[in-house]
């Protein structure tokens, strides 16, 4: 999987928000908020193709007390939210993007 280009993550008043730029503004009309854990993953995702398993490895390396099962479940939900909001490159069988604002939280956000 890959993130679409033309998206930046900004921290505004202790909130992480995905901001579309250029042509992406018309494609991604939603405000998508992230936790600091999701923002940590975003930094890796913006530079690399990735799998859910690789993202789980990143979470397990960074946070103590998180099980692989919990990491995989939370990241799976995170990825589905990104897909529904047209933030990932579309793959065959992906659902259509949805409208509205959404908050993304990857659990176990403690450092």
């Amino acid at each position: 999987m890959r993130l679409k280009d033309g998206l930046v993550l900004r921290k505004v008043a202790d909130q992480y928000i995905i901001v579309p730029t250029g042509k992406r503004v018309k494609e991604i009309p939603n405000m998508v908020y992230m936790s600091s854990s999701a923002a940590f993953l975003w930094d890796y995702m913006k530079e690399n193709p990735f799998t859910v398993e690789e993202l789980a490895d990143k979470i397990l390396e960074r946070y103590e007390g998180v099980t692989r099962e919990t990491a995989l479940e939370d990241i799976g939900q995170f990825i589905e939210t990104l897909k529904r909001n047209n933030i990932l490159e579309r793959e065959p069988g992906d659902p259509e993007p949805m409208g509205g604002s959404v908050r993304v939280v990857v659990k176990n956000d403690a450092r």
Side-chain angles (χ1 to χ4, degrees):
M1 287 181 269
R2 286 196 73 80
L3 293 173
K4 288 186 172 184
D5 63 353
L7 301 170
V8 294
L9 185 65
R10 294 285 184 243
K11 186 174 184 181
V12 179
D14 294 326
Q15 296 275 337
Y16 292 94
I17 304 169
I18 297 172
V19 179
T21 63
K23 67 181 180 184
R24 297 294 181 212
V25 172
K26 291 182 180 181
E27 295 175 18
I28 304 169
N30 308 329
M31 296 292 291
V32 179
Y33 299 88
M34 290 188 182
S35 67
S36 60
S37 295
F40 163 73
L41 292 176
W42 182 273
D43 285 340
Y44 176 77
M45 295 162 63
K46 72 180 179 183
E47 300 295 330
N48 303 285
F50 55 88
T51 65
V52 171
E53 293 78 14
E54 289 169 335
L55 297 179
D57 291 342
K58 295 287 180 194
I59 289 293
L60 294 173
E61 289 170 9
R62 182 167 175 113
Y63 299 102
E64 293 182 20
V66 179
T67 66
R68 184 164 194 79
E69 180 181 352
T70 298
L72 287 169
E73 181 180 320
D74 292 348
I75 292 165
Q77 292 172 6
F78 171 51
I79 294 298
E80 287 305 311
T81 299
L82 296 179
K83 284 180 181 179
R84 284 192 313 272
N85 284 279
N86 206 22
I87 292 168
L88 294 179
E89 292 293 339
R90 302 234 12 228
E91 296 178 9
D94 284 348
E96 289 296 319
M98 63 182 225
S101 297
V102 65
R103 179 174 302 276
V104 178
V105 176
V106 176
K107 295 178 188 172
N108 297 315
D109 204 13
R111 288 194 177 128

